Amino acid sequence: MQRSAFDSDRFTADSADTVAWMVAEAPVAYELAVATMERRAEAIASGHASECVWLLEHPPLYTAGTSARDTDLVGVGRFPVHRTGRGGQYTYHGPGQRVAYVMLDLKRRRPDVRAFVAALEAWIIATLGRLNVLGERRDDRVGVWVRRPDKASGLDGTAAEDKVAAIGVRLRRWVSFHGIAVNIEPDLAHFGGIVPCGIAAPHYGVTSLLDLGHIVSLPEFDGLLRAEFEALFGPTFDAGAGPP
């Protein structure tokens, strides 16, 4: 079984506090999720709530980050579009995708946004490694990518790769919110309404664990995700279904 260890990406807190771990039992409306995250982030910053990871699914929708270009929305009217304050461009959320909203106090960990994003990448890569999927970072492309030797290369000979997980974060008073989205078994055709993350090159696509030949349930994936989170970020405690 392949594992990916990133000791330099450890992002533990300077105290023994544990992180609340919540898993929503039903799809959560995007507006509710954002409002909930904003309240929780403020409470964390004020010292009135514990840090939190909230796992959920959304109904089908597109989100536009702060760098989104209008021309990258090619399927106008297909699904609702939500403008959001997270970094990045257009992305898709929907059933079969595990979204993990990560609300951590970086002042208590490391006040370094780049290091935080690297830790999120490491978390995803280590989790995928538990399933023998080789996820990789790319300096010029945020997220986690897998090589696709079975697909056509680019015109310049660049090897084909697909994105299996997206990352988009926002910070307020050094508390993070938004987070990651890992494609377990979403309908990949739904990504066709946008240029995902602004990357239009045909040899850079989007994939899922199912598309890669790995059948895994959300609860099974959540268990792996939690174990690798604790290895990088520290201990968690069960906090119910949410909202936090």
Side-chain angles (χ1 to χ4, degrees), residues 71-84:
T71 53
D72 286 345
L73 179 63
V74 296
V76 177
R78 186 171 185 181
F79 296 125
V81 178
H82 299 271
R83 299 281 173 178
T84 179

Side-chain angles (χ1 to χ4, degrees), residues 53-131:
V53 175
W54 190 21
L55 273 57
L56 51 80
E57 292 177 281
H58 286 302
L61 57 91
Y62 298 129
T63 64
T66 54
S67 301
R69 299 184 294 261
D70 291 342
T71 53
D72 286 345
L73 179 63
V74 296
V76 177
R78 186 171 185 181
F79 296 125
V81 178
H82 299 271
R83 299 281 173 178
T84 179
R86 63 154 175 82
Q89 301 186 42
Y90 276 103
T91 193
Y92 165 79
H93 292 312
Q97 184 187 70
R98 176 47 86 211
V99 173
Y101 288 136
V102 182
M103 289 156 269
L104 300 180
D105 187 348
L106 270 60
K107 294 194 305 295
R108 295 161 51 190
R109 295 171 177 271
R110 203 187 318 172
D112 184 328
V113 178
R114 287 177 179 265
F116 177 58
V117 172
L120 294 177
E121 290 174 335
W123 176 29
I124 298 166
I125 290 169
T127 304
L128 295 177
R130 297 280 291 267
L131 297 168

Side-chain angles (χ1 to χ4, degrees), residues 9-23:
D9 291 317
R10 286 181 58 81
F11 221 81
T12 52
D14 58 6
S15 70
D17 292 345
T18 54
V19 178
W21 188 268
M22 294 184 167
V23 184

Side-chain angles (χ1 to χ4, degrees), residues 159-216:
E161 297 182 345
D162 283 344
K163 193 172 192 175
V164 69
I167 298 173
V169 298
R170 186 176 182 183
L171 269 70
R172 183 174 296 165
R173 297 175 61 187
W174 285 106
V175 175
S176 67
F177 53 113
H178 296 282
I180 69 172
V182 184
N183 297 330
I184 311 300
E185 53 176 7
D187 186 340
L188 295 179
H190 290 177
F191 286 88
I194 57 173
V195 178
C197 300
I199 300 173
H203 59 291
Y204 293 148
V206 178
T207 190
S208 67
L209 290 178
L210 182 62
D211 184 51
L212 295 170
H214 296 269
I215 300 175
V216 57

